Amino acid sequence: MDIAVLLRAVPDPVEELELNDDETDLDRDYLGYVLNEFDDHALEEALLLKEDTGGSVTAYAIGTSDEVEQILVTAIAKGADAAVKLGDDLGVLDAHAQSEIFAAALGERSHQAILCGVQASDEIDGQVAMLLSARLGHPHVSVVVATSVTDAGLSVTKEYWAGITATYDVRLPAVLGIQAARQAPRYVAVSRIRQAQDSGALSEVDTVAPASSSGVTITAIRIPESGAGAEMISGDETAAAEQIVALLQAAGVGGAP
Amino acid sequence: MSGAILVVTEHLGGQFTDATFELLALANGLATSTGAEVEAALVGADVAGMTTQLGAAGRVLLIEDPALESFNPHGHACVVAGLVADREPGIVLVPYTSTGMDMASHIASRSDLPLVSYCQSIDASAGLAATCQLYAGKIEADVSVDGDRAVFAVLSGAAAAADGRRDGSPTVESVTVEVPGGTSFTGQVEPEAGDVDITVQDVLLVVGRGIESEDNIEEVAELAEALGGAVAASRPVVDQGWLPKTRQVGKSGLTVKPKVYLALGVSGAPEHVEGMRDSSTIIAVNTDPQAPIFGVAHHGWVGDLFDLVPELADLLEGS
């Protein structure tokens, strides 16, 4: 099975975020980007599918930041057969623009399964995976937590809520929004990443940012007031532990006051 | 704004979800400011009997087909997209849930409408505007929408479900559609029982991404046990396979309301908060002073959980 996986760089979720001067976007000058965690799971699921069936995995990413090349090289090191960087230095793109670029790139190929993380933390104008399936006219399932190959295509498991899941037969080609892979994403040694760098498996395709608009404009952003309703505990860990134990006891748990 | 306000309902096992009633409540608020009619799209097979639960809608658009008996990702998305293309509602409200995520983008694409995702509030009094949560709740954004029609994928908690849960007899209009193939339902799996039930615990110690490794969970689990409670987790921890799914709190996991909810290294993404915000006492510990968990917590400490947990263990051992 020829599988495509779409990878996106997003602001590191553990970094402290700062706003730009006119407070309409993040201050991106010193912002670090990492692979979107759901895309990491999509890559893992793609590699597992390939291990199940043979075939190939091609990783695609749009050149939105410097980290994208490293993300693609890491995908090769983990087992992707090829990686394609779409454009260079394109800057911040919304989900509509990303889905347009991916649709143009994938439309020329014949991947049977297109896997992408179910969401990314900056998708204010819709989910790339599902926008893409609408553009390509392919069947889709989102919030996928497992896939397996059947005679007719794929069987996928979708998560509803409260641990309830449902299974679906999916006709190919299809787009899957991956919530979690069957197993945790694999690690790869730095030495393998260095090898992948020289493998020649990474190519670049000239791409320009689309001119079309999603129709949604951010007019202002802000950092929600932290602890707006919370009483903040001050002091070191010893003081904090004492206060937390007092709170536990006041709530009737953790022993008598 | 032109046209009706259409709520895309969600149901499982013959029951509407809370998300459905939250959207109906939100729609009624918007109807007050715009004068538009509230309609509800009900998609399934043999579901006409459920329309009386949708008293908060003036009209129910009923789509019934055997292929839509259980939620069908591509099928539901395409038939609702067709309905929207045909009837041209002004505002389409889709829950930002597992089923809604399959539908919102298709609805918007098919009618070439703007889509506002991660939406927590909508203002339709002059043009269309909304407030959204980005970067896992670390940023709040105001957005404006081009034109006078749009689709909104709405986060849980945008309105109170109780305000939208009304029996009644809305006008029911059956709509005939063709259901495309592509995805077909083959079965539903309930979660395995047998593990600790985190929904009945008085105290939960909940670990998030900040726990860093599977080995670090043991110390927290021991502390939870000493308190007569249990250890639970946010999604990243479960996705790593460090704790079973039965321990997951949040949108794709379980909803909990313990007496004390102690969050250790949990950032507090909207999907997580949805499953714990009604806990009696919420205490949050995080190294990041911007962590959105502090927005929902009653008490917070900015610091390292690895410094705190041994101190807590010592104190509780001594008591």
Side-chain angles (χ1 to χ4, degrees), chain B residues 63-259:
Chain B
I63 298 176
E64 293 186 296
D65 190 287
L68 302 169
E69 181 174 2
S70 293
F71 180 72
N72 176 342
H74 192 61
H76 272 64
C78 290
V79 301
V80 177
L83 184 75
V84 169
D86 189 38
R87 301 186 66 100
E88 301 188 349
I91 290 177
V92 182
L93 302 179
V94 185
Y96 194 74
T97 59
S98 180
T99 73
M101 289 169 82
D102 270 306
M103 295 188 279
S105 298
H106 273 254
I107 297 167
S109 279
R110 172 106 170 238
S111 294
D112 202 17
L113 292 175
L115 168 56
V116 180
S117 197
Y118 294 125
C119 176
Q120 59 180 9
S121 69
I122 300 168
D123 182 355
S125 55
L128 287 175
T131 305
C132 304
Q133 287 190 23
L134 289 180
Y135 305 106
K138 290 175 89 169
I139 295 286
E140 219 168 67
D142 295 332
V143 303
S144 67
V145 179
D146 292 351
D148 58 359
R149 297 176 58 215
V151 180
F152 297 86
V154 183
L155 292 170
S156 161
D163 295 340
R165 196 189 301 273
R166 276 207 293 283
D167 286 347
S169 46
T171 306
V172 178
E173 193 175 326
S174 282
V175 181
T176 310
V177 295
E178 200 173 316
V179 184
T183 58
S184 54
F185 176 83
T186 53
Q188 187 170 312
V189 183
E190 302 293 326
E192 283 173 35
D195 189 34
V196 168
D197 183 355
I198 60 169
T199 65
V200 299
Q201 303 293 322
D202 279 348
V203 55
L204 286 176
L205 270 55
V206 186
V207 294
R209 206 190 299 274
I211 197 71
E212 291 175 1
S213 83
E214 185 171 10
D215 294 342
N216 292 333
I217 295 175
E218 183 61 32
E219 194 181 2
V220 177
E222 281 170 13
L223 184 58
E225 202 171 313
L227 286 165
V231 69
S234 62
R235 187 193 45 70
V237 172
V238 174
D239 283 354
Q240 287 295 328
W242 297 343
L243 279 171
K245 192 82 199 166
T246 46
R247 302 287 182 122
Q248 186 181 330
V249 174
K251 179 167 122 176
S252 53
L254 294 161
T255 298
V256 298
K257 297 173 189 174
K259 285 183 184 165

Side-chain angles (χ1 to χ4, degrees), chain A residues 100-227:
Chain A
E100 194 173 333
I101 290 173
F102 281 132
L106 293 165
E108 298 166 3
R109 319 247 178 161
S110 55
H111 297 293
Q112 292 161 287
I114 299 167
L115 276 58
C116 180
V118 66
Q119 65 180 19
S121 60
D122 56 358
E123 292 177 320
I124 202 163
D125 58 318
Q127 282 64 54
V128 167
M130 296 299 106
L131 289 170
L132 177 67
S133 76
R135 273 183 194 279
L136 295 174
H138 292 346
H140 70 276
V141 182
S142 74
V143 201
V144 169
V145 292
T147 63
S148 62
V149 180
T150 63
D151 290 343
L154 282 175
S155 172
V156 310
T157 304
K158 172 185 172 70
E159 192 169 76
Y160 284 162
W161 45 79
I164 302 169
T165 58
T167 51
Y168 297 94
D169 281 337
V170 183
R171 191 185 68 213
L172 303 178
V175 178
L176 304 180
I178 304 292
Q179 162 92 7
R182 278 171 268 167
Q183 64 183 42
R186 62 196 68 190
Y187 289 98
V188 62
V190 176
S191 58
R192 293 273 299 277
I193 296 175
R194 283 204 203 97
Q195 281 172 17
Q197 219 134 23
D198 304 324
S199 66
L202 174 65
S203 60
E204 191 172 324
V205 173
D206 280 346
T207 304
V208 292
S212 56
S213 159
S214 69
V216 176
T217 308
I218 295 177
T219 53
I221 68 168
R222 59 195 159 268
I223 295 166
E225 201 184 332
S226 182

